Amino acid sequence: MDHYDSQQTNDYMQPEDDWDRDLLLDPAWEKQQRKTFTAWCNSHLRKAGTQIENIEEDFRDGLKLMLLLEVISGERLAKPERGKMRVHKISNVNKALDFIASKGVKLVSIGAEEIVDGNVKMTLGMIWTIILRFAIQDISVEETSAKEGLLLWCQRKTAPYKNVNIQNFHISWKDGLGFCALIHRHRPELIDYGKLRKDDPLTNLNTAFDVAEKYLDIPKMLDAEDIVGTARPDEKAIMTYVSSFYHAFSGAQKAETAANRICKVLAVNQENEQLMEDYEKLASDLLEWIRRTIPWLENRAPENTMQAMQQKLEDFRDYRRLHKPPKVQEKCQLEINFNTLQTKLRLSNRPAFMPSEGKMVSDINNAWAGLEQAEKGYEEWLLNEIRRLERLDHLAEKFRQKASIHESWTDGKEAMLQQKDYETATLSEIKALLKKHEAFESDLAAHQDRVEQIAAIAQELNELDYYDSPSVNARCQKICDQWDNLGALTQKRREALERTEKLLETIDQLYLEYAKRAAPFNNWMEGAMEDLQDTFIVHTIEEIQGLTTAHEQFKATLPDADKERQAILGIHNEVSKIVQTYHVNMAGTNPYTTITPQEINGKWDHVRQLVPRRDQALMEEHARQQQNERLRKQFGAQANVIGPWIQTKMEEIGRISIEMHGTLEDQLNHLRQYEKSIVNYKPKIDQLEGDHQQIQEALIFDNKHTNYTMEHIRVGWEQLLTTIARTINEVENQILTRDAKGISQEQMNEFRASFNHFDRDHSGTLGPEEFKACLISLGYDIGNDAQKKTGMMDSEDFRACLISMGYNMVMSLLFTIIHMALHKGEGKTLVMNPGRGRVCPYHEHRRS
């Protein structure tokens, strides 16, 4: 065999998914593999003078498996175990598997137990692994090896043959022509290839198989019917069979044939020698097994644990059920082999076989009798001892369960009792902790019975001499010590909780009193700060005096407020004293209020700072209001003179315009004298404007000393100037109209007398009805149709008449519109506008 490199990683060496232990082989494939692998193994085992019939049974003891490996590798394996017990078989199979592994083969999912148990799938997988390693691995063709090299070799050898196309190791061989082509290529005299037909696969396959077996010494590893009847023949079976052709035609055939001939010549002698060797080995193994087993059966030393005694009983039952029956068969087989060997030697004229000293059949029988004697009473002793330990185990288990439950319950209890969570707790939390502690004390008392039961069980185990009493006693003592410690810690925690509760209740009362007094005092300070910082707007001396009086009253309350502040701070200082004296760790601030002493002191200082600021602001505002009052009086005194003067002048101008004293020229002169006196009054108006400017700059919006505003004065002044100018203009127009129309003074007086008669309110204007009545009294009918010309005056005369009656500018405009209507009308009746004309704002103010 060529040297094998353990680092080689060819495909055939990789774990194959086909051999997954949880899957089943296809029945057809399993059948093909059985036959192929069995034939392949026998082709090598026969070199050692033996063979196998059932592949999963004959390899179970590992002996033939080790022999097979020795034959195909040419190396010696470790000495096999000759015993018939399962442990011996597993040992032999493991030696074989270790040898395979030493050749760099990874055995995936194949264990010695499966082979010993006759697992077909695992056994076939193991044989296939051996075939890959020792029959296919070393095949090399043009830098390809193993499966690929073998496939390439087949393709090259069959390339010249028609109807042959080797692409794989399954369906490419179904028609049998591939096998026939290989044989014909190397031994053309054995097959007439020309007579073969592709449509007759059975004939082709049987021809190839028969010729290979007969002339090439290649055993018939496949059945033609199985290959033809399977859709896809088993690849491993085909590959195994084809590899035999490769080795047969690669120069190994002659050497193998010569070795077989020598084996046949020496077969009888080897068989006898093997029988002698087997007897010696079997006898030695059986006697050694008896020698080892008798002390084991005679050992009556009790075990300490129930598990150990049960294991002894189980071992004894395994001995009776598994180990002893194979030894009985070995003993019987040994006698049969001894008799057979003596017979063969006698027939071959060979001297009788004489076993080594102490290995006679009688020696074996005597040793077996000693085994039977040691076996008596062993099982009964085991059962009695198990019953004894059962009681102890029951008590020990009960002790462990109760101890585990108790330890689980006490886990963390000491740490819980030792924690000082009450030091940072509030009063409500302390009360909750006390209730929780009371519940724990009840729970602690309830566990007293379990501790007593644990101690009683430990005492009983000591009395029964339990093997593990020291650990039981130590655990029991630990539980008792822990129980005593829990009691002490529980009492200590209760005292600490009650002491803390009393302190916190005192502090809570002080906190509550502090909150009840701090809240209204804080609100008073906030209100005071708000009032002291409130922006005031006053308009009179009385208002600022009221604010000053209220501020003085507030300052009178400050001493009492300071006493209340000191009392509130005293409550807080008392809390601080308790905290420092008893080392109370306060978890937070006052739960009843968020107002702190610092906040109270800060606001109090702020109030003290705001008081003088308020004093200063009130004084400044008082001075400003005094100045404003002086300005009001100064403006009011002048306005109360100028306003009536303007009103008087307006009335006088109205009377002049409607009075019938003198001629129009006399009225005109009188009006111009009024105009001059009015213009000379302008400096007093300007002086009033200056006083008004000062009032505006001082933001004074009301004045109780007068009903006149600067706006009223301005409007009255402007109206007075406009009225005197308009009145002068109207008189001048009347003069022009009178002179142009030749109206006499008597007519003018008549018109004016009629107007004054109907101007009953002496306003200088006529309403619609008054105006109509006036026209009718003068002999004008304005309601008749326009075609009646009798009694109608000329429009110019009508205008002059109106002007002569002293109508103001507004009414003159109205008469102008009437004039236009008279000229443009087409005989329609004249309709008067019922409106009254715009009212002067100054007059409106006076009427109000």
Side-chain angles (χ1 to χ4, degrees), residues 337-569:
N337 291 348
F338 181 80
N339 294 332
T340 302
L341 179 59
Q342 298 292 31
T343 301
K344 287 185 176 182
L345 290 174
R346 186 169 60 253
L347 293 175
S348 301
N349 295 320
R350 297 284 300 277
F353 171 62
M354 181 60 67
S356 301
E357 184 178 357
K359 296 181 181 179
M360 296 294 291
V361 173
S362 58
D363 296 331
I364 294 174
N365 288 334
N366 292 333
W368 191 265
L371 177 69
E372 295 285 350
Q373 182 64 32
E375 190 177 321
K376 292 180 180 181
Y378 186 71
E379 184 175 13
E380 183 178 357
W381 172 79
L382 286 174
L383 293 175
N384 291 332
E385 190 64 24
I386 287 174
R387 281 191 292 270
R388 185 186 70 84
L389 290 175
E390 187 175 11
R391 171 62 179 166
L392 285 175
D393 283 350
H394 172 72
L395 288 174
E397 180 61 24
K398 187 175 181 181
F399 174 83
R400 284 190 292 269
Q401 288 181 353
K402 289 185 176 295
S404 297
I405 293 173
H406 179 76
E407 289 168 348
S408 176
W409 178 82
T410 58
D411 184 32
K413 293 297 188 295
E414 290 180 332
M416 182 270 290
L417 292 171
Q418 290 175 339
Q419 64 184 352
K420 297 185 178 180
D421 49 353
Y422 53 83
E423 292 183 349
T424 58
T426 62
L427 179 60
S428 59
E429 292 172 341
I430 285 293
K431 292 183 181 297
L433 288 175
L434 271 170
K435 292 184 180 297
K436 183 178 179 182
H437 189 72
E438 290 174 0
F440 172 76
E441 287 177 334
S442 299
D443 194 14
L444 185 68
H447 281 75
Q448 178 69 32
D449 291 341
R450 179 175 288 114
V451 175
E452 294 174 355
Q453 291 173 7
I454 291 172
I457 294 173
Q459 181 63 29
E460 187 174 358
L461 287 173
N462 280 300
E463 293 172 356
L464 293 176
D465 196 20
Y466 181 55
Y467 79 96
D468 200 18
S469 292
S471 63
V472 170
N473 293 334
R475 190 173 185 182
C476 181
Q477 185 62 43
K478 182 180 179 181
I479 290 173
C480 292
D481 293 343
Q482 186 184 38
W483 182 256
D484 295 337
N485 189 36
L486 285 176
L489 291 175
T490 300
Q491 181 61 28
K492 183 179 179 181
R493 181 172 175 82
R494 166 172 280 281
E495 294 172 355
L497 289 172
E498 290 175 348
R499 181 175 61 255
T500 305
E501 181 186 25
K502 291 180 181 179
L503 289 174
L504 291 182
E505 283 178 346
T506 303
I507 293 174
D508 187 71
Q509 290 297 326
L510 293 173
Y511 271 156
L512 182 59
E513 183 179 356
Y514 174 90
K516 288 180 178 180
R517 299 179 68 172
F521 185 72
N522 182 70
N523 291 335
W524 177 84
M525 287 193 297
E526 289 179 349
M529 288 188 293
E530 183 178 354
D531 293 340
L532 291 172
Q533 297 179 93
D534 185 26
T535 302
F536 51 83
I537 300 175
V538 295
H539 301 91
T540 65
I541 291 292
E542 291 77 8
E543 291 179 358
I544 193 61
Q545 288 175 346
L547 290 177
T548 302
T549 301
H551 182 62
E552 292 299 327
Q553 293 174 353
F554 166 75
K555 289 196 294 183
T557 63
L558 290 179
D560 292 336
D562 189 38
K563 291 179 181 179
E564 179 64 14
R565 181 181 68 87
Q566 293 293 340
I568 293 172
L569 296 179

Side-chain angles (χ1 to χ4, degrees), residues 15 32 46 90 95 100 108 174 256 260 276 398 430 467 504 545 696 706 774:
Q32 293 173 19
R46 68 187 181 186
I90 291 175
K95 291 176 181 178
I100 297 173
V108 180
K174 274 189 79 171
E256 187 174 352
N260 288 337
M276 295 178 188
K398 187 175 181 181
I430 285 293
Y467 79 96
L504 291 182
Q545 288 175 346
Q696 285 186 326
T706 181
C774 179

Side-chain angles (χ1 to χ4, degrees), residues 738-757:
R738 182 199 63 185
D739 294 342
K741 297 297 181 177
I743 300 174
S744 64
Q745 185 65 36
E746 289 77 10
Q747 289 177 320
M748 293 292 294
N749 292 337
E750 181 183 358
F751 292 153
R752 182 172 294 175
S754 297
F755 181 88
N756 291 337
H757 173 76

Side-chain angles (χ1 to χ4, degrees), residues 244-261:
S244 299
F245 284 88
Y246 173 86
H247 291 294
F249 293 133
S250 296
Q253 180 180 2
K254 293 181 180 180
E256 187 174 352
T257 301
N260 288 337
R261 290 174 181 174

Side-chain angles (χ1 to χ4, degrees), residues 296 310-320 323:
W296 174 66
Q310 287 178 339
Q311 184 61 47
K312 274 194 170 187
L313 180 61
E314 186 65 25
D315 292 342
F316 179 73
R317 289 173 178 172
D318 287 343
Y319 159 78
R320 296 288 298 271
H323 303 306

